[in-house]
Amino acid sequence: MSQVKKAIIPAAGLGTRFLPATKTVPKEMLNLVDAPTILYVVEEAVNAGIEDIVLIAGRGKHAIEDFFDTSFELEDKLAQTGQLHLLDRLLKIRNVANIISIRQKQALGLGHAVYCGKPVVGNEPFAVLLGDEITIGQDGSPSVTAQLVKNFSENQISSVSIMQVSDEDVSKYGIAEVEKISDHRHKVLSVVEKPKPEQVKSRMALAGRYVFDSQLFEELKSGKPGLNGEIQLTDSMKSLLNKKGLEALTFTSQRYDAGDKLGYLKATVELALKNPALETEFKKYLKDLTQPWSRK
Ligand code: G1P
């Protein structure tokens, strides 16, 4: 029985939805309360049992690599000045996992980005976590990635996370037609990348967390450009499902597209409300802001 110990995090996108902020700062490095988006994603993977993380980065993304690297001057300064809690946090970040960075030299699509991770992943099953999406679960409940990893170890089948979307949002996502197996678990019958709402009956969208059998690489290798002339991950999932089957899991965590302004703001608010040092003051501030008549 193989276990999922590796993850690919595609983080090569240009972040055009966040310009001008992302002109020099990768969107995955935008701050959510006190840590960049990518750290939340990496921690989700690590907490699901992942040991090796393959970052697929593009040009101008070295800030992500630096973030997981040693910063001698800073660490030394914190040690000298006795700021040990901060030093401890930095040491934990650089030891969080084996981070292996691979350059995607051409922007040929999400499927191509995932394929760039093959030299590290080889013949093992692997998770994929999109680097600009974060999920926030209830304390103690398994994360979306943990659910997918568990499903793989129990059933040895690839699975993807799905969520209900509205008619207007169908064309923003990969859409899966599914049949319920039990509770959160579904069999995937078909998948299509960003259809028009009238082209599909389902309103179940792919949510940026996946666990795949290594057969997916074979499908990506022979994959033809799809929507927008890009190698689409969703198209290779279609061939995978025909050969080896594919399941889909619904989840209870909140999922945010932190590469989008509104999603980013919502994630910031939710994380701030979960931060013990900010929670009380921030809640009061939000209440005052939304109910101005209650201000003294
Ligand atoms: C990508 C995938 C899509 C998936 C979405 C989740 O689209 O291609 O299938 O539903 O992520 O966020 P993108 O957001 O990169 O356009």
Side-chain angles (χ1 to χ4, degrees), residues 17 110 130 133 172-174 193-194 205-208 210 232 234 255 257:
R17 288 180 293 170
L110 180 60
L130 301 191
E133 287 183 31
K172 294 184 189 158
Y173 295 98
E193 181 67 5
K194 305 194 174 99
L206 305 173
Y210 318 77
Q232 296 289 349
T234 306
R255 169 235 176 235
D257 179 356

Side-chain angles (χ1 to χ4, degrees), residues 165-221:
V165 292
S166 63
D167 289 1
E168 305 85 77
D169 283 347
V170 164
S171 57
K172 294 184 189 158
Y173 295 98
I175 299 290
E177 199 190 317
V178 297
E179 188 179 274
K180 193 166 182 158
I181 300 175
S182 64
D183 226 5
H184 298 301
R185 199 170 149 217
H186 300 73
K187 182 177 172 188
V188 177
L189 305 176
S190 66
V191 278
V192 53
E193 181 67 5
K194 305 194 174 99
K196 295 200 175 78
E198 58 276 17
Q199 290 174 315
V200 282
K201 275 188 271 154
S202 172
R203 294 298 179 254
M204 285 301 196
L206 305 173
R209 297 290 188 266
Y210 318 77
V211 163
F212 294 118
D213 183 288
S214 62
Q215 173 71 28
L216 184 90
F217 289 131
E218 300 311 313
E219 310 311 326
L220 284 169
K221 190 175 170 190

Side-chain angles (χ1 to χ4, degrees), residues 48-249:
I50 302 295
E51 293 168 359
D52 298 322
I53 292 184
V54 191
L55 269 177
I56 311 296
R59 272 173 66 76
K61 298 272 183 163
H62 40 80
I64 306 179
E65 292 157 21
D66 291 348
F67 181 75
F68 291 102
D69 197 359
T70 309
S71 171
F72 289 113
E73 301 87 330
L74 193 55
E75 289 173 17
D76 187 51
K77 185 88 183 166
L78 293 174
Q80 305 267 342
T81 51
Q83 300 187 72
L84 300 183
H85 60 292
L86 282 176
L87 177 62
D88 186 49
R89 183 116 200 258
L90 294 195
L91 295 181
K92 281 197 180 116
I93 290 170
R94 77 160 146 94
N95 294 320
V96 69
N98 299 321
I99 309 269
I100 301 132
S101 184
I102 291 186
R103 272 281 175 106
Q104 185 190 20
K105 293 183 186 148
Q106 285 173 289
L108 298 179
L110 180 60
H112 176 258
V114 170
Y115 189 71
C116 290
K118 184 175 185 280
V120 178
V121 173
N123 296 325
E124 291 182 38
F126 61 101
V128 174
L129 295 89
L130 301 191
D132 56 2
E133 287 183 31
I134 68 153
T135 69
I136 305 174
Q138 300 296 330
D139 292 340
S141 65
S143 69
V144 185
T145 301
Q147 278 179 263
L148 296 168
V149 165
K150 182 164 177 273
N151 195 47
F152 190 90
S153 75
E154 288 174 357
N155 304 300
Q156 299 290 296
I157 187 162
S158 305
S159 50
V160 297
S161 55
I162 50 166
M163 60 186 179
Q164 182 98 34
V165 292
S166 63
D167 289 1
E168 305 85 77
D169 283 347
V170 164
S171 57
K172 294 184 189 158
Y173 295 98
I175 299 290
E177 199 190 317
V178 297
E179 188 179 274
K180 193 166 182 158
I181 300 175
S182 64
D183 226 5
H184 298 301
R185 199 170 149 217
H186 300 73
K187 182 177 172 188
V188 177
L189 305 176
S190 66
V191 278
V192 53
E193 181 67 5
K194 305 194 174 99
K196 295 200 175 78
E198 58 276 17
Q199 290 174 315
V200 282
K201 275 188 271 154
S202 172
R203 294 298 179 254
M204 285 301 196
L206 305 173
R209 297 290 188 266
Y210 318 77
V211 163
F212 294 118
D213 183 288
S214 62
Q215 173 71 28
L216 184 90
F217 289 131
E218 300 311 313
E219 310 311 326
L220 284 169
K221 190 175 170 190
S222 54
K224 304 266 174 303
L227 188 72
N228 303 328
E230 295 180 347
I231 305 285
Q232 296 289 349
L233 182 61
T234 306
D235 295 342
S236 61
M237 285 163 45
K238 208 183 299 176
S239 349
L240 182 71
L241 101 81
N242 291 333
K243 290 187 189 153
K244 292 208 143 187
L246 183 66
E247 292 189 354
L249 305 182

